[in-house]
Amino acid sequence: MEYPRAPKAAGAQCFSPDYATARDRFLRAAEGVAALGRLPLDVLGPRGEPLAIDIAWIGSPAPSRALVHTSGMHGIEGFAGSAIQLALLLQPVAVPPDGALVLVHALNPYGMAWLRRVNENNVDLNRNFLAPGESYAGAPLAYHRVAGLLNPPTPPRYDFFLLRAALLAFRYGFKSLRQAIVAGQYEYPKGLFYGGRRLEQGPSRYREWLAERLRPASRVFAIDVHTGLGKWCQESLFLRRSGADPAELGGKLGRHLVGDPSEDGVGYRIQGGYAGAFDALAPGVETHLIIQEFGTAPGVRVLHALREENRWHHYGAGTPDHRVKARLQEMFCPRSPRWREFVLARGVSLARAVMQELFR
Ligand SMILES: [Zn+2]
């Protein structure tokens, strides 16, 4: 099956300035093209509107093979994935009678609506899918050392963060410190990279829904889009939950896939990642999860922006109109047309390559 290429003109125009606009465009583009589903959550957006995870389903309602494409696991990172999904809806591809393309818009709608990376309980959803037997407790030793610097209980203000972070990195080693900070922690509920106390409502409803709807499937690909990791305009593709050799599968997709996220120097290991959502699928289902990351800015600048927004949320008014929110949005979805066009082209072409492999 041949899939046409996305026209360049679609480019940056597929990006939306806020969650409400992104959702509206997603729903309108899906009309007549996809069956729409909704997983309502018990949370409200900035205008008091109820929030939900929206789903556009193209193809068989009981597919034997499916591509599940997700955006907004990390709230504010969702603008990139949302743009890619809009482009996929605007130029729908042919899906075979036993196949499905499933577009899941904003796994964390609260974070996307309020311009946060985390959800309504300050939980990093990509640290929340713990495996059976793992406990929602503890933090890496080095996280305790830096918790005071990372999570000051005061509103945003200039306090020599970059200098102090550099001193700590010099003392403890940049790589091990970074690994300890981002791995996931379960002890500081108002802190960065907090994984929660239990499976959150969004992940829980999504996981149940996924298992139910993909019951007939024997082969599932998933693409989960993220931003903020890696250099400007750098794409990293991490293969998880797959029995395939990353090099071999990457060859078929025409892309470089990395098996161990810490191996290429960009990624890192985490606890409670999204791969856990697929535990609920029937045993024996062939699953390949690709985490698609787009770099924006140096890690320490991204961390600084996260820190200031976190202070504003917990110790300020938390409103979306503050400069720390704009700063965070720029860190996770730069306004640069070049960055946006790059992300859209790579995002659409990966989804199409996966469909070509899955639906051939
Ligand atoms: Zn992310």
Side-chain angles (χ1 to χ4, degrees):
M1 215 169 281
E2 274 298 307
Y3 297 100
R5 283 165 167 262
K8 281 205 161 151
Q13 291 149 21
C14 284
F15 283 78
S16 299
D18 54 51
Y19 168 72
T21 309
R23 174 173 192 256
D24 189 52
R25 294 174 81 190
F26 177 80
L27 295 180
R28 276 196 283 151
E31 259 172 45
V33 174
L36 280 170
R38 198 164 175 266
L39 303 176
L41 302 181
D42 302 327
V43 275
L44 301 176
R47 299 181 192 116
E49 72 279 23
L51 298 176
I53 300 168
D54 293 291
I55 297 143
W57 188 291
I58 301 172
S60 167
S64 62
R65 39 193 177 153
L67 166 58
V68 181
H69 187 282
T70 45
S71 65
M73 160 86 71
H74 282 145
I76 194 165
E77 296 178 21
F79 293 97
S82 172
I84 294 164
Q85 292 174 337
L86 183 63
L88 291 170
L89 282 170
L90 291 174
Q91 293 170 51
V93 299
V95 173
D98 67 334
L101 166 62
V102 184
L103 303 173
V104 182
H105 190 261
L107 272 175
N108 169 12
Y110 174 92
M112 195 167 163
W114 287 92
L115 304 177
R116 303 211 77 204
R117 187 173 167 279
V118 288
N119 83 341
E120 58 277 13
N121 294 322
N122 198 50
V123 173
D124 180 332
L125 298 190
N126 210 26
R127 313 288 184 274
N128 188 237
F129 289 93
L130 289 186
E134 289 182 316
S135 74
Y136 287 91
L141 182 63
Y143 192 98
H144 297 296
R145 288 184 182 133
V146 295
L149 175 64
L150 278 185
N151 312 309
T154 48
R157 66 159 191 264
Y158 184 74
D159 56 4
F160 303 98
F161 171 75
L162 293 178
L163 178 68
R164 290 157 71 200
L167 288 172
L168 281 175
F170 182 71
R171 188 166 164 200
Y172 296 115
F174 172 74
K175 273 201 164 170
S176 60
L177 201 58
R178 184 179 82 136
Q179 174 62 42
I181 291 171
V182 300
Q185 56 85 11
Y186 301 86
E187 273 197 43
Y188 301 86
K190 290 185 176 177
L192 297 178
F193 306 101
Y194 173 59
R197 285 269 181 272
R198 61 193 68 82
L199 191 64
E200 289 288 303
Q201 59 165 336
S204 169
R205 284 176 199 173
Y206 174 66
R207 192 165 75 161
E208 259 173 49
W209 173 87
L210 198 66
E212 174 64 29
R213 291 303 309 270
L214 292 183
R215 203 183 292 275
S218 56
R219 196 164 188 233
V220 175
F221 271 82
I223 299 174
D224 190 34
V225 181
H226 292 254
T227 61
L229 181 71
K231 293 190 181 121
W232 173 263
C233 277
Q234 179 185 11
E235 179 196 49
S236 309
L237 300 173
F238 303 111
L239 181 65
R240 311 301 292 271
R241 220 198 150 74
S242 167
D245 173 46
E248 197 181 314
L249 183 59
K252 288 179 185 165
L253 300 177
R255 297 295 251 272
H256 177 65
L257 295 185
V258 176
D260 178 351
S262 55
E263 160 188 305
D264 68 345
V266 174
Y268 41 75
R269 288 194 191 84
I270 57 163
Q271 207 181 347
Y274 175 44
F278 297 87
D279 285 344
L281 296 191
V285 179
E286 182 190 332
T287 319
H288 308 278
L289 166 60
I290 299 171
I291 312 290
Q292 184 173 35
E293 283 277 3
F294 292 106
T296 55
V300 69
R301 284 178 56 204
V302 175
L303 185 65
H304 190 198
L306 281 168
R307 174 188 188 255
E308 299 312 298
E309 188 278 333
N310 199 46
R311 300 170 86 181
W312 176 240
H313 178 82
H314 293 296
Y315 308 104
T319 47
D321 55 1
H322 194 270
R323 62 175 169 78
V324 295
K325 295 284 191 179
R327 177 90 186 126
L328 196 67
Q329 196 165 7
E330 185 63 21
M331 285 293 118
F332 286 108
C333 183
R335 273 164 298 180
S336 152
R338 201 184 138 229
W339 186 88
R340 293 184 171 194
E341 273 159 27
F342 172 80
V343 164
L344 195 80
R346 300 300 286 179
V348 169
S349 70
L350 179 68
R352 284 170 187 269
V354 166
M355 282 190 276
Q356 213 149 20
E357 164 62 19
L358 178 65
F359 296 154
R360 75 192 148 86

